[in-house]
Amino acid sequence: MAKKKEISISGNMPLPGKSAPGTIIITAPRLFHKDIQDYMQAIRGAHNVDFSQRIKLYDLYEEVLMDGHTSSVIEKRKAAVQCSQIEFRRNGEPDERINTLLRSPWFYRFIGDLIDSDFWGFSLFYFKKDESGWLDYILVPRKNYDPVRGLVKHRQEQTFGEPLDDYRNMLFVGEKRSLGRLARIAPYVLYKNNDMGDWAQFCEIFGMPIREYTYSAGDTESRSQTVEDMMEQGGAGVYLHSDQTNLKLVESGSKSGSSDLYKALYDTCNDEISKIVLGNTLTTQASERGTQALGSVQEKGEKKLNEADRNLILNTLNYDMTDIFTTFGYDTRGGEFYYVKPKETTASEEINIISRMRQMGTPVSDDYVYETTGIPKPDNYNELKGEMSDRQEAMKDGLPPKEQPEKKERKQSKKQEEGIIDRIRSFFAHAPKSGALKW
């Protein structure tokens, strides 16, 4: 059986410390000056049944992700999953060795790249150990992998490659023919970019006053002086003509109306992008028609998408990565990955709930109370707990509560002193109140 290959990535030049280029040679994406025609050609090439060509499409995706609104809503969706705590339990008990792995930096990146499989269509991972011996991975460039035929390409423009089975510790997540959500986002980003360009040109032309210069026809010296003055007075629009010609500026009916038109198209594109990524618009932007109730409803829909992302993570860990964990010495047999349910109540709300439960006679662990309030547990907790129990029992029986040992000793010594004094007094006879001789 042939030895499995490893993945390494570089440019045409070897990386420092390497004698040869990597097994995958990456190429810089071609960005900017894209329009809807480029988008349609890229989609057609990607949908080719026998030889899917996705280079142009993925270059377009790189440009789409440079859009501020698009990148922010995608990061918002990814952060909702990356900030959720995952825990591995075996027989109901956490496995600290594997949970340490889940708190490492590579795992945080891994979750983000898993979510990206929904936007790009797929993600391909190569797992390895880093220089310190920790588990790590390489995200294989998507332009260097043909998911339909399962071929890893040395260069992105090649139509042939090596089967994925020739490489070790590989994990494919996604759908082979899916183009991802970015295929639906791209048209709105292109329209918005073109709209922004026209809007910027509109502001440049009509946002500043236009200066008009005239000079006497045939007076070259006057014209030269006018041009010199014109060049020294800033960058606003300028029209220069002789006094024997007429200049008439024909403007649109309403400058403010034209500006609002650009803004309306810009906002509409952003709204559509928000709907594709988050399923709503009100959790990212304020709206004149939006209400708190409507915002709450849309937030619930967004949470459903976050829940679907979390299920993708758990399914990948519990089913697809078991062999990879075993290969690197992490035994996951008999256990399962879970999301730790976050607390949605504050400490004061927790205390109120605990008080009501105890009033109803429902037992609550004292350790949980100390953990919730953050108050340190006393060193002599058991002794203090016993005294409180004695007081409660004494109050039920109508008897005075048991006293502390120090007070008890003081009372006993006082009683002893009083007993001695009484015995001394009894030793002597009482003096008569009236003498025997009736003095």
Side-chain angles (χ1 to χ4, degrees), residues 315-342:
N315 290 337
T316 302
L317 294 174
N318 287 318
Y319 296 96
D320 300 331
M321 288 190 63
T322 53
D323 292 340
I324 293 175
F325 281 127
T326 302
T327 300
F328 290 95
Y330 296 94
D331 185 12
T332 59
R333 289 175 299 179
E336 190 173 355
F337 292 89
Y338 293 89
Y339 270 100
V340 179
K341 187 177 180 180

Side-chain angles (χ1 to χ4, degrees), residues 50-67:
D50 296 319
F51 297 98
S52 177
Q53 294 293 331
R54 304 192 181 194
I55 298 175
K56 292 183 178 180
L57 183 65
Y58 289 157
D59 283 346
L60 179 61
Y61 285 179
E62 293 284 356
E63 183 170 344
V64 166
L65 291 174
M66 296 179 68
D67 176 64

Side-chain angles (χ1 to χ4, degrees), residues 25 177 182 234 282 345:
I25 304 297
R177 293 191 179 273
L182 288 175
L282 291 182
T345 56

Side-chain angles (χ1 to χ4, degrees), residues 28-44 46 53-67 70 119-120 143 179 182-191 193-194:
R30 297 180 180 179
L31 305 175
F32 310 118
H33 307 297
K34 299 285 196 308
D35 56 20
I36 293 298
Q37 185 67 28
D38 296 315
Y39 168 76
M40 291 189 293
Q41 291 179 355
I43 292 293
R44 293 193 191 101
Q53 294 293 331
R54 304 192 181 194
I55 298 175
K56 292 183 178 180
L57 183 65
Y58 289 157
D59 283 346
L60 179 61
Y61 285 179
E62 293 284 356
E63 183 170 344
V64 166
L65 291 174
M66 296 179 68
D67 176 64
T70 301
F119 291 93
W120 289 78
K143 290 191 293 184
L179 303 183
L182 288 175
R184 286 176 276 162
I185 295 173
Y188 298 104
V189 174
L190 294 176
Y191 281 130
N193 290 344
N194 293 332

Side-chain angles (χ1 to χ4, degrees), residues 19 46 66 87 120 281 288 300 315 330 335 363 378:
S19 59
M66 296 179 68
E87 189 174 78
W120 289 78
T281 60
E288 295 179 358
K300 290 181 180 179
N315 290 337
Y330 296 94

